[in-house]
Amino acid sequence: HTGHIGKWQYHNDFSSDFDYAQAFEGKHWYSRWGKEIDGSTLARTYAVEFLEKRPKDKPFSLSIAFYPPKPVGMSREPGAQWMPTNETRKLYDNVTIPEPEMNHSYKVLPDFLSSYEKGARGPQVRWYERYRTSEHYQASMKNYYALITGVDQACKEIVDKLKEEGLYNNTMIIFTTDNGMMHGAHGLAGKWYPFQESIRVPLIIYDPRMPKEKVGTLDDSFTLNIDLAETILGAAGIKPDELMQGRDISDLYLPNEKGEHHVTASVEVEPWREYFFYEFPSPDDIFIPSSTAVVTKEWKFINWPAYNREQLFNLEKDPLEMNDLYNDTSVKSTMNKLRERHDELKAQLHNTSYGPRDPSCDGFLDFLPEIQKAEAR
């Protein structure tokens, strides 16, 4: 029994794809049942309904895509792009949010990111709307955190419902998010960049199969969004398709015992990845530039293909990526090795056949101008 609640992004009718479907996105508040309801509470309400009405004799899978705390609109008033409840907003009334260093980090950006005339107009406009003064920054971030608090409360109530239904000890729960919005770091706003503030996202997994010694621990292994589908399939005892590029995350915490509920090999047998390839293919390199990267625990090599520009950062010594080492001759060999690995991975990815294009994805492209749609295809 399957369900999806909340944001869908492709904007097509997906109701026939799930047994239970409730799509809503683009706002923080919705009119339902004769009143205004915030997006997190609405998602929680539908999730509870799904759990109550599900067939009790069938397993289930439910995805809940909270729209908050994604900003809404283009208002330039302080904090106006985020609209939390009064109750959650009050929690931050007497709090001062630490502000990132924006001046130096902005000045050392590649010119196509830091110059409105030369390049990325999207982040420039968004930064000005949201963070251009301390008043803007504080109001924006307090509203943002208040919306996250609303999501947190909704998640708690959904978990409480699982416990009430007697499902908690037999249900995997995965909590993760969209890419980070930069929040003024590097003088940027938006989520389309290969910098750490954007590509590192939260991931919390509750798995009843997890050994007690692993519960509540932190793991700094490289997990990726492409791992999530294989992790869910693994929990259902289903072998992933050979074209899938991820890996079952439970390999990091389950012992090497293959069976109905663990179909891959633990890291004791097959070591986990030590690097990964990142890619953001933009349909408009003037608005937001495309980027690719190879990331290890120590290094990050970035390529901006539309501008023939490369960057190199030592993440161990420079975790905020303030010091680009591209012109540093002392790390030239490292740069060359990472560039070579980057090119190999990119070629490997782009030479893989994934079959015909899925027409269900076309709805998203309708939001791009016709020339961009052709490029995106």
Side-chain angles (χ1 to χ4, degrees), residues 6-14 23-26 67 70 360-368:
K7 185 177 180 180
W8 183 242
Q9 186 71 50
Y10 297 112
H11 303 279
N12 63 328
D13 181 8
F14 66 93
F24 52 96
E25 58 186 298
Y67 193 82
K70 183 179 174 67
S360 68
C361 297
D362 288 349
F364 175 71
L365 296 177
D366 290 339
F367 285 80
L368 302 175

Short mmCIF file of all heavy atoms in Angstrom, two decimals, residues 6-14 23-26 67 70 360-368:
data_model
loop_
_atom_site.label_atom_id
_atom_site.label_comp_id
_atom_site.label_asym_id
_atom_site.label_seq_id
_atom_site.Cartn_x
_atom_site.Cartn_y
_atom_site.Cartn_z
N GLY A 6 2.36 15.82 -0.23
CA GLY A 6 3.11 17.06 -0.29
C GLY A 6 3.68 17.38 -1.64
O GLY A 6 3.07 17.14 -2.69
N LYS A 7 4.89 17.91 -1.64
CA LYS A 7 5.54 18.39 -2.86
C LYS A 7 5.79 17.25 -3.84
O LYS A 7 6.22 16.16 -3.45
CB LYS A 7 6.85 19.08 -2.50
CG LYS A 7 7.55 19.71 -3.69
CD LYS A 7 8.81 20.45 -3.27
CE LYS A 7 9.50 21.07 -4.49
NZ LYS A 7 10.73 21.79 -4.12
N TRP A 8 5.54 17.54 -5.11
CA TRP A 8 5.76 16.54 -6.17
C TRP A 8 6.73 17.05 -7.22
O TRP A 8 7.42 16.29 -7.87
CB TRP A 8 4.43 16.16 -6.82
CG TRP A 8 4.55 15.09 -7.85
CD1 TRP A 8 4.24 15.19 -9.18
CD2 TRP A 8 5.00 13.74 -7.66
NE1 TRP A 8 4.46 14.01 -9.84
CE2 TRP A 8 4.94 13.09 -8.92
CE3 TRP A 8 5.46 13.02 -6.57
CZ2 TRP A 8 5.31 11.77 -9.10
CZ3 TRP A 8 5.85 11.70 -6.74
CH2 TRP A 8 5.77 11.09 -7.99
N GLN A 9 6.81 18.34 -7.44
CA GLN A 9 7.78 19.01 -8.31
C GLN A 9 7.49 18.84 -9.80
O GLN A 9 7.58 19.80 -10.55
CB GLN A 9 9.21 18.54 -8.02
CG GLN A 9 10.28 19.30 -8.78
CD GLN A 9 10.47 20.71 -8.27
OE1 GLN A 9 10.62 20.92 -7.08
NE2 GLN A 9 10.43 21.68 -9.16
N TYR A 10 7.13 17.64 -10.25
CA TYR A 10 6.93 17.45 -11.68
C TYR A 10 5.61 18.05 -12.16
O TYR A 10 5.39 18.22 -13.35
CB TYR A 10 7.00 15.97 -12.03
CG TYR A 10 8.34 15.37 -11.72
CD1 TYR A 10 8.50 14.44 -10.70
CD2 TYR A 10 9.47 15.75 -12.45
CE1 TYR A 10 9.74 13.90 -10.41
CE2 TYR A 10 10.71 15.22 -12.16
CZ TYR A 10 10.84 14.29 -11.14
OH TYR A 10 12.06 13.77 -10.85
N HIS A 11 4.70 18.32 -11.24
CA HIS A 11 3.47 19.03 -11.54
C HIS A 11 2.55 18.28 -12.50
O HIS A 11 1.72 18.88 -13.17
CB HIS A 11 3.78 20.43 -12.10
CG HIS A 11 4.63 21.25 -11.18
ND1 HIS A 11 4.13 21.94 -10.10
CD2 HIS A 11 5.97 21.49 -11.16
CE1 HIS A 11 5.10 22.56 -9.48
NE2 HIS A 11 6.23 22.31 -10.09
N ASN A 12 2.69 16.97 -12.61
CA ASN A 12 1.74 16.17 -13.38
C ASN A 12 0.81 15.44 -12.41
O ASN A 12 1.03 15.43 -11.19
CB ASN A 12 2.49 15.17 -14.26
CG ASN A 12 3.28 14.16 -13.45
OD1 ASN A 12 3.77 14.49 -12.38
ND2 ASN A 12 3.41 12.95 -13.95
N ASP A 13 -0.23 14.84 -12.93
CA ASP A 13 -1.18 14.10 -12.09
C ASP A 13 -0.59 12.73 -11.78
O ASP A 13 -0.47 11.87 -12.65
CB ASP A 13 -2.51 13.95 -12.83
CG ASP A 13 -3.56 13.21 -11.99
OD1 ASP A 13 -3.29 12.95 -10.79
OD2 ASP A 13 -4.62 12.90 -12.53
N PHE A 14 -0.22 12.53 -10.53
CA PHE A 14 0.41 11.26 -10.14
C PHE A 14 -0.52 10.41 -9.29
O PHE A 14 -0.09 9.40 -8.71
CB PHE A 14 1.70 11.53 -9.37
CG PHE A 14 1.50 12.19 -8.03
CD1 PHE A 14 1.38 11.44 -6.88
CD2 PHE A 14 1.42 13.58 -7.92
CE1 PHE A 14 1.19 12.04 -5.64
CE2 PHE A 14 1.23 14.19 -6.70
CZ PHE A 14 1.12 13.42 -5.55
N ALA A 23 -1.32 15.99 -3.10
CA ALA A 23 -0.26 16.89 -3.57
C ALA A 23 -0.60 18.33 -3.20
O ALA A 23 -1.72 18.79 -3.40
CB ALA A 23 -0.11 16.77 -5.08
N PHE A 24 0.37 19.03 -2.63
CA PHE A 24 0.24 20.46 -2.38
C PHE A 24 1.64 21.03 -2.21
O PHE A 24 2.49 20.44 -1.56
CB PHE A 24 -0.63 20.75 -1.15
CG PHE A 24 -0.22 20.00 0.10
CD1 PHE A 24 0.60 20.59 1.04
CD2 PHE A 24 -0.65 18.70 0.32
CE1 PHE A 24 0.99 19.90 2.18
CE2 PHE A 24 -0.27 18.01 1.46
CZ PHE A 24 0.55 18.61 2.40
N GLU A 25 1.89 22.17 -2.80
CA GLU A 25 3.21 22.78 -2.72
C GLU A 25 3.12 24.23 -3.17
O GLU A 25 2.12 24.68 -3.71
CB GLU A 25 4.21 22.02 -3.58
CG GLU A 25 3.83 21.92 -5.06
CD GLU A 25 4.79 21.02 -5.83
OE1 GLU A 25 5.99 21.35 -5.90
OE2 GLU A 25 4.33 19.99 -6.35
N GLY A 26 4.20 24.96 -2.92
CA GLY A 26 4.29 26.34 -3.38
C GLY A 26 3.86 27.37 -2.36
O GLY A 26 4.01 28.57 -2.60
N TYR A 67 6.78 20.95 2.16
CA TYR A 67 7.20 22.12 1.40
C TYR A 67 8.01 23.09 2.27
O TYR A 67 9.05 23.58 1.83
CB TYR A 67 6.01 22.85 0.77
CG TYR A 67 6.46 23.85 -0.26
CD1 TYR A 67 6.77 23.45 -1.55
CD2 TYR A 67 6.63 25.19 0.06
CE1 TYR A 67 7.22 24.35 -2.50
CE2 TYR A 67 7.08 26.10 -0.88
CZ TYR A 67 7.37 25.68 -2.16
OH TYR A 67 7.83 26.57 -3.08
N LYS A 70 11.11 25.76 2.46
CA LYS A 70 11.44 26.40 1.19
C LYS A 70 10.78 27.77 1.13
O LYS A 70 9.61 27.92 1.48
CB LYS A 70 10.95 25.52 0.04
CG LYS A 70 11.29 26.03 -1.35
CD LYS A 70 10.76 25.07 -2.40
CE LYS A 70 10.93 25.62 -3.80
NZ LYS A 70 12.35 25.73 -4.19
N SER A 360 6.85 11.11 -17.91
CA SER A 360 6.24 11.69 -16.71
C SER A 360 7.08 12.84 -16.15
O SER A 360 6.60 13.61 -15.32
CB SER A 360 6.07 10.61 -15.64
OG SER A 360 7.32 10.17 -15.15
N CYS A 361 8.34 12.95 -16.59
CA CYS A 361 9.20 14.03 -16.11
C CYS A 361 8.99 15.32 -16.89
O CYS A 361 9.52 16.37 -16.51
CB CYS A 361 10.68 13.62 -16.22
SG CYS A 361 11.13 12.21 -15.20
N ASP A 362 8.22 15.28 -17.96
CA ASP A 362 8.12 16.44 -18.83
C ASP A 362 7.41 17.62 -18.18
O ASP A 362 7.60 18.75 -18.58
CB ASP A 362 7.39 16.08 -20.13
CG ASP A 362 8.26 15.22 -21.04
OD1 ASP A 362 9.46 15.10 -20.74
OD2 ASP A 362 7.74 14.68 -22.02
N GLY A 363 6.57 17.36 -17.18
CA GLY A 363 5.85 18.45 -16.53
C GLY A 363 6.78 19.49 -15.95
O GLY A 363 6.49 20.69 -15.99
N PHE A 364 7.91 19.05 -15.40
CA PHE A 364 8.86 19.99 -14.81
C PHE A 364 9.43 20.92 -15.87
O PHE A 364 9.61 22.11 -15.64
CB PHE A 364 9.98 19.23 -14.12
CG PHE A 364 11.07 20.11 -13.59
CD1 PHE A 364 10.85 20.93 -12.50
CD2 PHE A 364 12.32 20.15 -14.20
CE1 PHE A 364 11.84 21.75 -12.01
CE2 PHE A 364 13.32 20.97 -13.71
CZ PHE A 364 13.08 21.78 -12.62
N LEU A 365 9.67 20.38 -17.06
CA LEU A 365 10.29 21.19 -18.12
C LEU A 365 9.34 22.26 -18.64
O LEU A 365 9.77 23.22 -19.28
CB LEU A 365 10.74 20.29 -19.26
CG LEU A 365 11.84 19.28 -18.91
CD1 LEU A 365 12.14 18.40 -20.10
CD2 LEU A 365 13.09 19.98 -18.44
N ASP A 366 8.05 22.11 -18.40
CA ASP A 366 7.10 23.11 -18.86
C ASP A 366 7.34 24.47 -18.21
O ASP A 366 6.85 25.49 -18.69
CB ASP A 366 5.66 22.67 -18.57
CG ASP A 366 5.25 21.50 -19.45
OD1 ASP A 366 5.88 21.32 -20.51
OD2 ASP A 366 4.33 20.77 -19.07
N PHE A 367 8.09 24.50 -17.13
CA PHE A 367 8.35 25.75 -16.44
C PHE A 367 9.57 26.47 -17.02
O PHE A 367 9.92 27.55 -16.60
CB PHE A 367 8.57 25.49 -14.94
CG PHE A 367 7.30 25.21 -14.23
CD1 PHE A 367 6.73 23.95 -14.28
CD2 PHE A 367 6.64 26.20 -13.52
CE1 PHE A 367 5.54 23.69 -13.64
CE2 PHE A 367 5.45 25.94 -12.87
CZ PHE A 367 4.89 24.68 -12.93
N LEU A 368 10.21 25.87 -18.01
CA LEU A 368 11.37 26.49 -18.65
C LEU A 368 10.95 27.02 -20.02
O LEU A 368 10.05 26.48 -20.67
CB LEU A 368 12.48 25.45 -18.84
CG LEU A 368 13.00 24.77 -17.58
CD1 LEU A 368 14.01 23.71 -17.98
CD2 LEU A 368 13.63 25.78 -16.65
#
